[in-house]
Amino acid sequence: MDFDFSDDQKEMRAQARRFLEENCPPAKARAVMESDATHDATLWKKIADLGWLGTAVPEAHGGVGLGHEELCVLAEEIGRAIAPVPFNSSVYLATEALLIAGSEAQKAEWLPKLASGALIGTFALAEKAADAGPEGVQASLTGGALSGRKVAVADGVAADIAIVVARTGPGAEDVGLALVDLRAQGVERAPADSIDPSRSFATLTFDGAAAEALGDGAGWSVVEHLLDRAAALTAFEQVGLSDVCLDMAKEYALTRYAFGRPIGSFQAIKHKLADVYVANELARSNAYYGAWALSSGSSELAEAAAGARVSATEAAFLASKENIQTHGGMGYTWEGDCHLYYRRAKALSLQLGAARVWKEKLIRRLERKNAA
Amino acid sequence: MDFEDSPEEAQFRQEVYAWLAENAPLKKEGPSSARDDDHGSPQAVAAAKAWQATKAARGFAQIPWPKEWGGPGGAPIQQVIYNQEEAKFDVPRMYFEIGLGMCVPTVLTYCDPAFAKPAAERALKGDEIWCQLFSEPAAGSDSAGVQTKAVRDGEDWVINGQKVWTSGAHFCDYGIILTRTDPDAPKHKGLTMFWIDMKDPAVECRPIKQMSGASHFNEVYLNDLRVKDSQRIGELNGGWGVAVTTLMFERLAVGGGDGGSGPGTEAMMALARETQLEEGPALQDRAVRERIAEWHVRAQGLKFTTFRTITALSKGQTPGPEASIGKLVSANTAQERSDFALDLQDMAGLLMGEEATHDGQFQDVFLAIPGLRIAGGTDEILKNVIAERVLGLPGDARVDKNVPFKDVPKGG
């Protein structure tokens, strides 16, 4: 049994943490939130130069050729730093989509540019405020032309290319992935307000935009697999964020005095933070299972990713809301940083689908396993 | 990352399984039951002692105990592997865990080897069983608040008072007991630990009937129990330090990573599949599915947390603080699951016994589980432990500190 990261991976984590502490204090997320910038371009450039974007991309395609465990390590640090960069869109979604479904030609053309940071990629699925399943997909890819409207697309304005879920035929599950250059004719992008303005979201409208099927354009099962991979990775961002929230709450509880004592000596606060600790540890352990399943190519990924997603979402909500609560009135101010984490926690928890949806996926997968 | 044993661990697991298969029957399938009506009967105690002797003879009892304690001197990871394999078999449980896990190591740490070593050997071989006498009616979570008195009388001590929640006191041979020896000193500073002979006529055990109807614990009355000063464990008035050592031994025990007590995900899904709601099987109901998924994720999280602990042991490291969340999570999850299982059965959920679904196994868990949230540290104490020892938050303000114990308010 070796259910932990290796010493090399831990060293990588320590270096990433030092780099982000120096280069990405919470003020960076705040700066993006308070400006019209889509992301922190300077930080993005530095992260690209460190090779992080191509962590799991083979060297033949311009990547570093490490594995997904290493990417999980970096994801946790990105989450801790609430980094205002298109990391999840470009790396966990666009790059992963190309890796699992792209044709050799598509991989050769796009992976080196995504891995170097020359281009930013994203992923577009949702079309309205409803479960983002195959039935809800109206966007269609016909004869190399993409039409339709996608909402809540992370980094939709900053991205150069997008992997878009589109209808490919009349059947309910005739849904697949299309690759579209967002700089082309027939693409309209409008920034959208969101609960997390330290990240940017957009509405994308396609009107016969030139697009091609990703690989053989295979159906909904590929979309699900892509979401599983992204969920396993995002769980580490959520875990990193949850740990920082607990640290912040703990630090505040040690220094804030009320009734002549540090508030951290009151059991109401201690038990609250103990609950957060428990949720964080459960989320971390579930995330490790996801990391193992993802990096080993296990058939258990579907179950592991759903578990990691549900657990991390629960922890991130609990940790970020109780961090505000522990800070009292200060936690509710714009100047305080607590809300940055609360906002990011919820955005991360919705971007790949709500916990409600993932619980249903998990049970379906367990039923399938029991039947097998 | 992987879930594989190292070659040495795989080899050991194989040896253990082969040996168990030769010496014990496999466990029967089915949702785990909280029933154990025969526990503590003379026949059951004899069977438990025989099993312990068999284990010890093969070197599978207290595997990490060092050679100087008379143990096999194995690695902690080997104990985990043994526990995982033994869990597949139907063997006696809950007789030796407290004695060998906590009491005997304390005796070995503090007492004269002339007594401790042979006593440890007898305990290891299953000849004798030890129990722990800490809790009292007015000293539960506040375990330093014991009022049982030990008074010096010449070369001896005379002990009077009442202990409570002592597991298996009626079939135990020895106990370690925390007593008050100086009521004028502050709470923690007037305590002394002794070992006592549980068969002495001055020791009276009365079973406690638990809310579940079972009786796994006892009240123990000490009526002028005379003990020698050589039975003292540690320094006079140094009993609190000894008790902390005892509890530290408890924390070293690591489970096998089964994800907790009570009905598991499969049992919950099976029940939901066979239970008809108005719209069809309960397992097709979205609300039911959500709950089952939530508990599954918690149980899995716990299982994988144990795997992290086992990994640390396997690498010869000390497990991190994450090991402290186990009972807190498993007890609460089991309580919620069993409550929901009864709800699923609707009006008939109140039935027990033969007329009940699955012979009332979910009802058994429902009635047994409140005890698990209290025994071995209440939820509240465990949260304090996490907050103080893991997160480093300050201890509570104490009104009983630096006050002579006799002046501390004690309530009814």
Side-chain angles (χ1 to χ4, degrees):
Chain A
M1 170 95 50
D2 188 358
F3 200 58
D4 195 2
F5 289 104
S6 70
D7 288 346
D8 283 350
Q9 289 164 340
K10 285 180 184 167
E11 176 53 32
M12 181 179 182
R13 171 162 68 196
Q15 284 178 8
R17 188 168 302 183
R18 275 197 298 276
F19 168 80
L20 286 168
E21 275 166 5
E22 239 170 69
N23 291 278
C24 189
K28 298 286 184 184
R30 176 177 294 278
V32 170
M33 178 175 76
E34 292 176 346
S35 74
D36 291 334
T38 54
H39 63 285
D40 183 331
T42 313
L43 177 64
W44 184 243
K45 173 83 171 50
K46 286 183 186 171
I47 283 174
D49 290 345
L50 287 171
W52 290 10
L53 309 183
T55 305
V57 175
E59 288 177 85
H61 288 126
V64 181
L66 291 168
H68 283 87
E69 282 182 16
E70 283 78 7
L71 194 50
C72 289
V73 164
L74 294 176
E76 184 180 340
E77 298 312 310
I78 294 275
R80 287 184 69 92
I82 51 167
V85 288
F87 199 75
N88 54 14
S89 309
S90 203
V91 181
Y92 317 156
L93 288 160
T95 302
E96 286 297 316
L98 277 154
L99 282 170
I100 60 168
S103 67
E104 281 312 310
Q106 287 166 335
K107 287 184 193 177
E109 179 173 3
W110 300 107
L111 282 175
K113 293 171 187 159
L114 291 173
S116 70
L119 294 184
I120 293 171
T122 189
F123 171 77
L125 169 55
E127 301 187 3
K128 56 178 188 286
D131 280 9
E135 302 81 7
V137 176
Q138 298 291 321
S140 65
L141 176 67
T142 333
L146 179 67
S147 292
R149 185 169 180 273
K150 296 288 180 184
V151 300
V153 181
D155 307 297
V157 172
D160 303 287
I161 62 168
I163 306 297
V164 178
V165 181
R167 193 152 290 289
T168 51
E173 299 240 333
D174 286 344
V175 165
L177 295 173
L179 193 161
V180 58
D181 190 326
L182 295 173
R183 300 159 298 185
Q185 292 272 312
V187 180
E188 195 187 305
R189 327 192 216 183
D193 289 339
S194 82
I195 57 165
D196 181 15
S198 69
R199 299 278 286 110
S200 88
F201 295 85
T203 301
L204 303 185
T205 310
F206 303 101
D207 183 10
E212 55 185 297
L214 188 68
D216 60 7
W220 180 252
S221 62
V222 177
V223 180
E224 289 245 287
H225 182 53
L226 175 62
L227 288 171
D228 289 343
R229 300 176 78 84
L233 291 159
T234 302
F236 278 89
E237 282 203 23
Q238 293 170 299
V239 164
L241 178 148
S242 305
D243 275 356
V244 171
C245 289
L246 178 56
D247 286 348
M248 287 168 74
K250 184 180 78 182
E251 287 309 313
Y252 191 77
L254 284 168
T255 50
R256 169 78 180 182
Y257 276 65
F259 308 100
R261 303 154 57 174
I263 62 168
S265 68
F266 291 105
Q267 289 193 338
I269 297 290
K270 288 161 80 164
H271 289 189
K272 179 201 296 298
L273 298 187
D275 288 341
V276 173
Y277 175 80
V278 169
N280 286 5
E281 287 307 310
L282 293 177
R284 175 175 293 280
S285 299
N286 278 308
Y288 280 24
Y289 180 39
W292 168 80
L294 177 61
S295 67
S296 65
S298 165
S299 60
E300 290 172 44
L301 175 66
E303 185 193 329
R309 174 87 182 151
V310 171
S311 197
T313 295
E314 195 176 302
F317 180 51
L318 184 69
S320 63
K321 77 186 166 95
E322 298 310 333
N323 184 31
I324 295 179
Q325 189 68 17
T326 303
H327 279 74
M330 282 308 295
Y332 187 60
T333 61
W334 183 264
E335 289 80 0
D337 286 338
C338 294
H339 68 118
L340 301 178
Y341 297 85
Y342 182 73
R343 291 166 179 277
R344 177 66 60 84
K346 194 62 187 172
L348 287 174
S349 300
L350 293 173
Q351 263 181 13
L352 301 169
R356 180 178 54 78
V357 174
W358 284 91
K359 286 173 195 168
E360 175 57 29
K361 287 190 195 195
L362 177 58
I363 288 291
R364 264 189 230 163
R365 289 160 184 186
L366 291 173
E367 283 178 307
R368 222 174 291 150
K369 190 168 87 172
N370 284 356
Chain B
M1 276 188 194
D2 64 57
F3 291 97
E4 306 300 318
D5 287 328
S6 72
E8 300 78 40
E9 289 164 6
Q11 163 84 21
F12 183 74
R13 189 182 295 280
Q14 225 170 26
E15 276 170 32
V16 166
Y17 188 90
W19 180 82
L20 282 164
E22 260 172 47
N23 290 281
L26 274 169
K27 233 188 222 170
K28 291 185 186 69
E29 295 282 326
S32 63
S33 169
R35 260 182 231 155
D36 189 7
D37 298 336
D38 192 37
H39 195 274
S41 74
Q43 307 89 296
V45 172
K49 287 184 166 181
W51 174 242
Q52 181 68 22
T54 311
K55 259 164 86 164
R58 178 60 183 78
F60 288 155
Q62 304 305 112
I63 294 169
W65 267 23
K67 301 259 188 224
E68 58 267 31
W69 284 8
I77 187 69
Q78 292 181 323
Q79 184 69 59
V80 172
I81 291 170
Y82 180 84
N83 292 350
Q84 288 174 334
E85 297 306 311
E86 199 198 62
K88 299 170 187 167
F89 290 85
D90 188 14
V91 299
R93 293 191 171 83
M94 304 312 291
Y95 287 90
F96 289 91
E97 286 83 345
I98 292 173
L100 292 172
M102 302 166 72
C103 305
V104 178
T106 306
V107 168
L108 282 160
T109 304
Y110 288 97
C111 294
D112 181 358
F115 166 73
K117 282 199 144 185
E121 193 189 329
R122 293 194 302 273
L124 193 66
K125 285 195 309 190
D127 294 343
E128 292 167 356
I129 307 180
W130 285 67
C131 62
Q132 183 227 57
L133 303 125
F134 286 12
S135 295
E136 293 185 5
S141 293
D142 183 9
S143 44
V146 302
Q147 297 177 36
T148 292
K149 269 187 238 163
V151 177
R152 192 89 200 217
D153 183 28
E155 288 302 295
D156 298 344
W157 293 86
V158 177
I159 300 176
N160 276 289
Q162 186 198 343
K163 294 290 176 179
V164 77
W165 299 117
T166 311
S167 308
H170 62 288
F171 58 72
C172 282
D173 302 282
Y174 294 101
I176 63 173
I177 185 167
L178 191 59
T179 64
R180 175 120 351 239
T181 37
D182 184 358
D184 295 318
K187 190 168 76 175
H188 294 85
K189 295 183 176 158
L191 299 169
T192 303
M193 191 85 79
F194 295 92
W195 63 262
I196 63 171
D197 178 355
M198 292 298 289
K199 306 293 185 205
D200 191 300
V203 178
E204 184 194 343
C205 302
R206 294 184 201 165
I208 299 172
K209 189 167 183 180
Q210 299 151 216
M211 60 163 277
S212 62
S215 292
H216 292 153
F217 305 95
N218 298 270
E219 295 178 300
V220 178
Y221 291 84
L222 298 315
N223 309 312
D224 286 329
L225 172 67
R226 188 165 282 273
V227 304
K228 303 221 171 306
D229 189 53
S230 61
Q231 287 173 246
R232 180 162 45 79
I233 305 176
E235 298 290 315
L236 178 61
N237 296 324
W240 183 244
V242 179
V244 168
T245 307
T246 306
L247 297 172
M248 194 193 67
F249 285 122
E250 181 180 33
R251 241 171 267 126
L252 292 178
V254 176
D258 60 358
S261 338
T265 300
E266 277 179 35
M268 293 303 287
M269 285 179 76
L271 180 67
R273 199 175 291 118
E274 71 198 27
T275 307
Q276 289 293 320
L277 308 183
E278 249 178 83
E279 310 78 21
L283 192 55
Q284 285 171 19
D285 182 279
R286 196 80 184 237
V288 172
R289 297 167 73 81
E290 266 205 27
R291 299 299 301 277
I292 293 177
E294 285 162 11
W295 292 314
H296 176 72
V297 165
R298 256 198 263 164
Q300 288 282 98
L302 197 55
K303 176 171 113 181
F304 295 126
T305 300
T306 309
F307 284 3
R308 287 165 60 200
T309 303
I310 292 171
T311 297
L313 287 176
S314 168
K315 293 180 178 174
Q317 299 160 351
T318 309
E322 67 277 356
S324 60
I325 70 174
K327 187 177 83 83
L328 191 56
V329 176
S330 69
N332 281 279
T333 305
Q335 189 163 44
E336 288 174 33
R337 274 174 163 168
S338 63
D339 173 66
F340 194 73
L342 269 52
D343 272 12
L344 273 182
Q345 301 165 34
D346 204 35
M347 291 189 192
L350 57 79
L351 294 170
M352 286 196 77
E354 283 180 20
E355 192 67 43
T357 301
H358 290 288
D359 294 336
Q361 293 195 45
F362 293 102
Q363 283 77 3
D364 285 339
V365 176
F366 177 80
L367 291 177
I369 212 69
L372 193 58
R373 290 189 47 209
I374 297 163
T378 61
D379 283 8
E380 292 72 20
I381 288 295
L382 294 175
K383 288 183 187 184
N384 280 352
V385 168
I386 291 170
E388 292 172 24
R389 302 214 189 117
V390 180
L391 302 179
L393 293 171
D396 223 326
R398 293 237 153 105
V399 293
D400 57 1
K401 221 176 170 181
N402 304 321
V403 180
F405 182 72
K406 61 179 168 43
D407 299 332
V408 172
K410 294 179 185 72

